[in-house]
């Protein structure tokens, strides 16, 4: 408000009435005093009206002249109403600031509860009135646009390439189209040294997860609860990483443990890449029957999504052999050819496999090797699982 009324910054609200008072030099001292008081009162009323008008919408007209007592009372009433926004408005603003200021808003809310509380507290104080009128209008327009957005859904497709030396491979995944949930898992190959097929554990884990999804009340799938239930009911020997994702209420809700993970791509750029969880080089967090990590060690995150977003969930056979920019390029090519989610997943899996065979190519895995003090170039031969989700508006 102060920038809109620079004369107020000088601390002299009577400055605007100086011309009218100077023209009264021939009057008596009593009249001059009375005129000055009236001018000051009129100036103060004008300041209050300007402040009120600045806080109201542009399409509402207010009197700009006159100093009658009824106008002053009306302006004061309007000002009071402006300073006390309704609880509904404050809730709408809070919803806007938390959910749409950034796509990682819910994650930040969980990671920084103190910051969230501070924001919420400030929203309920008169300091809200310090916001420029333009900012308030943008917030209102954004809130109205969000309210008008149609529900979202995802069209998912997958592609799997097992390691050439493994019959079934050690990866597993599922897609529940009706429930809008997907999951991927990667059995930890180190168990093969003990004569145990870790792929059995990964396959049972995903099967149990799919059962838990279908047993959940409609529209109430919680990825963390799904993973926890599946982990508790899996009896096979071995260990596995896991990533489960559910689309609900304009958000993709995720739980991820280990070095499987996901990308969110918007407008040909990576909006988010889930971090790998590892206790050491090439040693991911892993779920198993005894020992190891538990679902409580998983990363839980919710990310706002929009129509046109592409989400890629995959095992480390993809992320060890493809940089993010390469995945984005393949998605862009697939969309340009109007390919389905399954065909785009096929493109990504094939490119990851090709890189795994290239001995001199720079890959994310070769960079990780150097950081760990190991001299190695090229990709990493592994099972490759890709699930691609295309976010679109739901049909009526």
């Amino acid at each position: 408000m102060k920038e809109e009324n620079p004369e107020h910054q000088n601390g002299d609200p009577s400055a605007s009435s100086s011309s009218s008072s100077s023209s009264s030099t021939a009057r008596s001292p009593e009249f001059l005093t009375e005129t000055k008081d009236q001018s000051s009162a009129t100036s103060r009323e004008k300041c209050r009206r300007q402040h009120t008008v600045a806080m109201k919408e542009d399409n509402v007209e207010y009197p700009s002249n006159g100093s009658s007592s009824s106008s002053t009372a009306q302006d004061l009433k309007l000002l009071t109403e402006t300073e006390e926004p309704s609880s509904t408005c404050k809730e709408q603003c809070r919803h806007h600031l938390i959910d749409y200021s950034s796509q990682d808003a819910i994650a930040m809310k969980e990671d920084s509860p103190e910051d969230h509380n501070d924001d919420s507290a400030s929203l309920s104080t008169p300091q809200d009135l310090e916001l420029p009128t333009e900012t308030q209008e943008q917030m209102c327009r954004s809130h109205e646009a969000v309210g008008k957005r149609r529900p979202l859904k995802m069209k998912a497709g997958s592609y799997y390439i097992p390691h050439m030396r493994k019959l079934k491979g050690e990866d597993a995944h599922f897609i529940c189209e009706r429930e809008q949930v997907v999951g991927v898992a990667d059995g930890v190959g180190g168990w093969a040294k003990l004569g145990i097929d870790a792929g059995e554990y990964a396959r049972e884990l995903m099967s149990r997860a799919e059962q838990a999804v279908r047993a959940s009340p409609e529209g109430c799938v919680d990825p963390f609860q799904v993973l926890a239930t599946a982990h508790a009911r899996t009896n096979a020997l071995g260990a596995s990483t896991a990533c489960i994702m559910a689309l609900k209420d304009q958000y993709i809700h995720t739980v991820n443990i280990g070095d499987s993970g996901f990308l969110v791509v918007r407008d040909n750029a990576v909006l988010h890449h889930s971090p790998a969880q590892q206790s050491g080089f090439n040693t991911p967090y892993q779920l198993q029957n005894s020992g190891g990590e538990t679902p409580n060690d998983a990363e839980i995150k919710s990310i706002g999504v929009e129509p046109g977003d592409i989400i890629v969930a995959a095992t480390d056979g993809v992320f060890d052999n493809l940089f993010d920019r390469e995945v984005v390029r393949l998605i862009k090519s697939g969309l340009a050819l109007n390919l389905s989610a399954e065909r785009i997943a096929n493109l990504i899996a094939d490119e990851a496999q090709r890189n795994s065979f290239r001995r001199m190519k720079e890959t994310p895995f070769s960079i990780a090797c150097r950081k760990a003090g190991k001299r190695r170039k090229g990709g990493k031969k592994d099972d490759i699982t890709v699930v691609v989700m295309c976010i679109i508006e739901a049909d009526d």
Side-chain angles (χ1 to χ4, degrees):
M1 294 308 110
K2 294 182 179 179
E3 294 180 357
E4 295 177 6
N5 299 284
E7 64 272 18
H8 296 175
Q9 296 178 0
N10 298 326
D12 186 11
S14 63
S16 61
S17 61
S18 60
S19 60
S20 60
S21 62
S22 63
S23 64
S24 305
T25 55
R27 303 286 184 175
S28 64
E30 294 80 8
F31 184 82
L32 285 174
T33 302
E34 181 181 359
T35 302
K36 183 176 181 180
D37 293 341
Q38 290 176 351
S39 298
S40 299
T42 302
S43 180
R44 286 193 296 271
E45 291 165 4
K46 182 178 179 182
C47 291
R48 283 194 292 269
R49 284 196 298 275
Q50 289 176 341
H51 181 70
T52 303
V53 171
M55 296 306 299
K56 295 294 184 177
E57 297 179 5
D58 294 339
N59 62 348
V60 179
E61 297 181 358
Y62 296 91
S64 58
N65 298 314
S67 58
S68 65
S69 60
S70 61
S71 297
T72 302
Q74 217 174 18
D75 291 343
L76 289 174
K77 181 179 178 182
L78 289 170
L79 181 58
T80 303
E81 292 175 351
T82 305
E83 291 179 344
E84 292 296 332
S86 66
S87 59
T88 301
C89 290
K90 287 187 286 188
E91 185 63 25
Q92 290 175 349
C93 289
R94 182 180 296 108
H95 177 73
H96 170 79
L97 291 175
I98 293 173
D99 291 345
Y100 302 100
S101 60
S102 74
Q103 294 300 321
D104 287 339
I106 284 187
M108 290 191 295
K109 179 177 65 175
E110 294 174 350
D111 294 341
S112 305
E114 294 180 0
D115 294 342
H116 168 59
N117 292 336
D118 291 341
D119 290 343
S120 299
S122 65
L123 285 168
S124 61
T125 67
Q127 293 178 356
D128 289 347
L129 302 178
E130 299 295 333
L131 289 172
T133 305
E134 181 180 355
T135 301
Q136 295 184 36
E137 292 175 352
Q138 289 174 350
M139 289 168 58
C140 291
R141 286 196 298 269
S142 177
H143 179 77
E144 291 174 359
V146 169
K148 295 177 181 178
R149 284 174 62 180
R150 297 171 62 182
L152 302 179
K153 71 176 183 180
M154 65 179 178
K155 299 292 290 183
S158 63
Y159 202 80
Y160 176 43
I161 304 176
H163 191 286
M164 63 176 63
R165 295 180 182 178
K166 303 172 185 176
L167 182 61
K168 294 182 179 179
E170 295 169 341
D171 285 2
H173 72 280
F174 72 89
I175 298 175
C176 290
E177 188 87 23
R178 183 175 66 86
E179 293 83 0
Q180 298 285 275
V181 183
V182 305
V184 298
D186 179 5
V188 178
W191 286 79
K193 297 177 182 179
L194 303 176
I196 297 172
D197 180 7
E200 290 294 331
Y201 185 93
R203 286 187 285 273
E204 184 178 355
L205 182 69
M206 289 293 95
S207 177
R208 299 290 188 184
E210 185 174 2
Q211 292 171 10
V213 169
R214 300 193 186 282
S216 301
E218 185 175 356
C220 298
V221 177
D222 180 349
F224 174 79
Q225 290 298 331
V226 168
L227 182 61
T229 299
H231 176 245
R233 295 178 178 177
T234 299
N235 299 313
L237 296 176
S240 177
T241 67
C243 178
I244 297 176
M245 315 180 72
L247 177 65
K248 180 184 176 184
D249 297 337
Q250 316 285 342
Y251 289 89
I252 191 75
H253 304 279
T254 71
V255 59
N256 183 54
I257 187 164
D259 55 5
S260 294
F262 64 94
L263 291 176
V264 180
V265 178
R266 177 180 300 165
D267 297 329
N268 298 323
V270 174
L271 184 67
H272 179 79
H273 187 160
S274 61
Q277 295 176 304
Q278 295 182 328
S279 56
F281 172 72
N282 209 28
T283 307
Y285 284 15
Q286 50 197 275
L287 300 176
Q288 52 184 297
N289 284 329
S290 59
E293 286 72 36
T294 72
N296 289 327
D297 297 308
E299 182 189 59
I300 301 171
K301 186 177 286 289
S302 295
I303 301 172
V305 292
E306 300 177 355
D309 288 354
I310 304 294
I311 303 172
V312 178
T315 56
D316 65 333
V318 173
F319 298 126
D320 280 341
N321 290 300
L322 291 176
F323 291 104
D324 288 359
R325 64 178 180 272
E326 295 176 296
V327 176
V328 170
R329 174 178 55 79
L330 293 166
I331 291 173
K332 184 177 179 180
S333 298
L335 293 176
L337 296 172
N338 199 28
L339 299 183
S340 65
E342 182 178 357
R343 293 290 304 280
I344 295 175
N346 190 344
L347 287 179
I348 296 172
D350 285 346
E351 186 70 9
Q353 185 185 48
R354 280 192 290 270
N355 284 355
S356 72
F357 296 142
R358 293 170 177 165
R359 295 182 178 181
M360 301 304 294
K361 179 172 173 50
E362 184 80 298
T363 64
F365 184 70
S366 65
I367 293 176
C369 286
R370 286 201 300 274
K371 289 182 178 179
K374 302 178 182 297
R375 301 181 61 181
R376 173 171 174 171
K377 293 184 178 181
K380 176 188 176 184
K381 298 176 183 178
D382 201 352
D383 303 310
I384 296 171
T385 296
V386 186
V387 179
V388 170
M389 293 155 274
C390 301
I391 305 300
I392 60 176
E393 289 187 340
D395 299 330
D396 293 334

